[in-house]
PDB file of all heavy atoms in Angstrom:
ATOM      1  N   TYR A  27      -9.155  40.574 -30.976  1.00 95.00           N
ATOM      2  CA  TYR A  27      -9.560  41.277 -32.130  1.00 95.00           C
ATOM      3  C   TYR A  27     -11.090  41.390 -32.142  1.00 95.00           C
ATOM      4  O   TYR A  27     -11.767  40.380 -32.088  1.00 95.00           O
ATOM      5  CB  TYR A  27      -9.142  40.506 -33.441  1.00 95.00           C
ATOM      6  CG  TYR A  27      -8.708  41.334 -34.621  1.00 95.00           C
ATOM      7  CD1 TYR A  27      -7.399  41.552 -34.926  1.00 95.00           C
ATOM      8  CD2 TYR A  27      -9.711  42.010 -35.327  1.00 95.00           C
ATOM      9  CE1 TYR A  27      -7.072  42.295 -36.003  1.00 95.00           C
ATOM     10  CE2 TYR A  27      -9.350  42.824 -36.379  1.00 95.00           C
ATOM     11  CZ  TYR A  27      -8.000  42.929 -36.763  1.00 95.00           C
ATOM     12  OH  TYR A  27      -7.633  43.681 -37.823  1.00 95.00           O
ATOM     13  N   PRO A  28     -11.654  42.565 -32.134  1.00 94.00           N
ATOM     14  CA  PRO A  28     -13.084  42.744 -32.232  1.00 94.00           C
ATOM     15  C   PRO A  28     -13.559  42.183 -33.572  1.00 94.00           C
ATOM     16  O   PRO A  28     -13.029  42.450 -34.584  1.00 94.00           O
ATOM     17  CB  PRO A  28     -13.401  44.231 -32.161  1.00 94.00           C
ATOM     18  CG  PRO A  28     -12.076  44.862 -32.550  1.00 94.00           C
ATOM     19  CD  PRO A  28     -10.954  43.931 -32.183  1.00 94.00           C
ATOM     20  N   LYS A  29     -14.567  41.302 -33.493  1.00 91.00           N
ATOM     21  CA  LYS A  29     -15.050  40.595 -34.682  1.00 91.00           C
ATOM     22  C   LYS A  29     -16.320  41.189 -35.339  1.00 91.00           C
ATOM     23  O   LYS A  29     -16.331  41.450 -36.541  1.00 91.00           O
ATOM     24  CB  LYS A  29     -15.298  39.108 -34.306  1.00 91.00           C
ATOM     25  CG  LYS A  29     -15.688  38.237 -35.448  1.00 91.00           C
ATOM     26  CD  LYS A  29     -15.840  36.786 -34.984  1.00 91.00           C
ATOM     27  CE  LYS A  29     -16.358  35.874 -36.069  1.00 91.00           C
ATOM     28  NZ  LYS A  29     -15.417  35.742 -37.186  1.00 91.00           N
ATOM     29  N   GLU A  30     -17.356  41.429 -34.580  1.00 90.00           N
ATOM     30  CA  GLU A  30     -18.585  41.858 -35.245  1.00 90.00           C
ATOM     31  C   GLU A  30     -19.467  42.537 -34.159  1.00 90.00           C
ATOM     32  O   GLU A  30     -19.681  42.089 -33.024  1.00 90.00           O
ATOM     33  CB  GLU A  30     -19.342  40.686 -35.772  1.00 90.00           C
ATOM     34  CG  GLU A  30     -20.657  40.962 -36.486  1.00 90.00           C
ATOM     35  CD  GLU A  30     -21.387  39.773 -37.051  1.00 90.00           C
ATOM     36  OE1 GLU A  30     -20.812  38.684 -36.919  1.00 90.00           O
ATOM     37  OE2 GLU A  30     -22.429  39.992 -37.611  1.00 90.00           O
ATOM     38  N   MET A  31     -20.051  43.710 -34.499  1.00 90.00           N
ATOM     39  CA  MET A  31     -20.993  44.417 -33.685  1.00 90.00           C
ATOM     40  C   MET A  31     -22.384  43.975 -34.066  1.00 90.00           C
ATOM     41  O   MET A  31     -22.789  44.013 -35.208  1.00 90.00           O
ATOM     42  CB  MET A  31     -20.856  45.918 -33.882  1.00 90.00           C
ATOM     43  CG  MET A  31     -21.854  46.738 -32.951  1.00 90.00           C
ATOM     44  SD  MET A  31     -21.391  46.644 -31.243  1.00 90.00           S
ATOM     45  CE  MET A  31     -19.940  47.732 -31.126  1.00 90.00           C
ATOM     46  N   MET A  32     -23.131  43.416 -33.095  1.00 90.00           N
ATOM     47  CA  MET A  32     -24.429  42.835 -33.377  1.00 90.00           C
ATOM     48  C   MET A  32     -25.453  44.000 -33.386  1.00 90.00           C
ATOM     49  O   MET A  32     -25.252  45.131 -32.884  1.00 90.00           O
ATOM     50  CB  MET A  32     -24.807  41.828 -32.273  1.00 90.00           C
ATOM     51  CG  MET A  32     -23.712  40.891 -31.976  1.00 90.00           C
ATOM     52  SD  MET A  32     -23.194  39.943 -33.460  1.00 90.00           S
ATOM     53  CE  MET A  32     -24.558  38.821 -33.649  1.00 90.00           C
ATOM     54  N   THR A  33     -26.650  43.719 -33.916  1.00 89.00           N
ATOM     55  CA  THR A  33     -27.687  44.780 -34.043  1.00 89.00           C
ATOM     56  C   THR A  33     -28.270  45.260 -32.651  1.00 89.00           C
ATOM     57  O   THR A  33     -28.687  46.359 -32.574  1.00 89.00           O
ATOM     58  CB  THR A  33     -28.922  44.210 -34.799  1.00 89.00           C
ATOM     59  OG1 THR A  33     -29.378  43.029 -34.226  1.00 89.00           O
ATOM     60  CG2 THR A  33     -28.469  43.910 -36.327  1.00 89.00           C
ATOM     61  N   ASN A  34     -28.072  44.425 -31.571  1.00 88.00           N
ATOM     62  CA  ASN A  34     -28.525  44.808 -30.322  1.00 88.00           C
ATOM     63  C   ASN A  34     -27.441  45.479 -29.511  1.00 88.00           C
ATOM     64  O   ASN A  34     -27.596  45.837 -28.273  1.00 88.00           O
ATOM     65  CB  ASN A  34     -29.034  43.533 -29.518  1.00 88.00           C
ATOM     66  CG  ASN A  34     -27.938  42.526 -29.243  1.00 88.00           C
ATOM     67  OD1 ASN A  34     -26.805  42.751 -29.751  1.00 88.00           O
ATOM     68  ND2 ASN A  34     -28.298  41.497 -28.626  1.00 88.00           N
ATOM     69  N   GLY A  35     -26.311  45.891 -30.158  1.00 87.00           N
ATOM     70  CA  GLY A  35     -25.241  46.536 -29.502  1.00 87.00           C
ATOM     71  C   GLY A  35     -24.220  45.693 -28.806  1.00 87.00           C
ATOM     72  O   GLY A  35     -23.176  46.172 -28.370  1.00 87.00           O
TER      73      GLY A  35
END
Side-chain angles (χ1 to χ4, degrees):
Y27 215 105
K29 182 177 176 65
E30 183 181 359
M31 182 68 76
M32 314 302 286
T33 55
N34 63 359

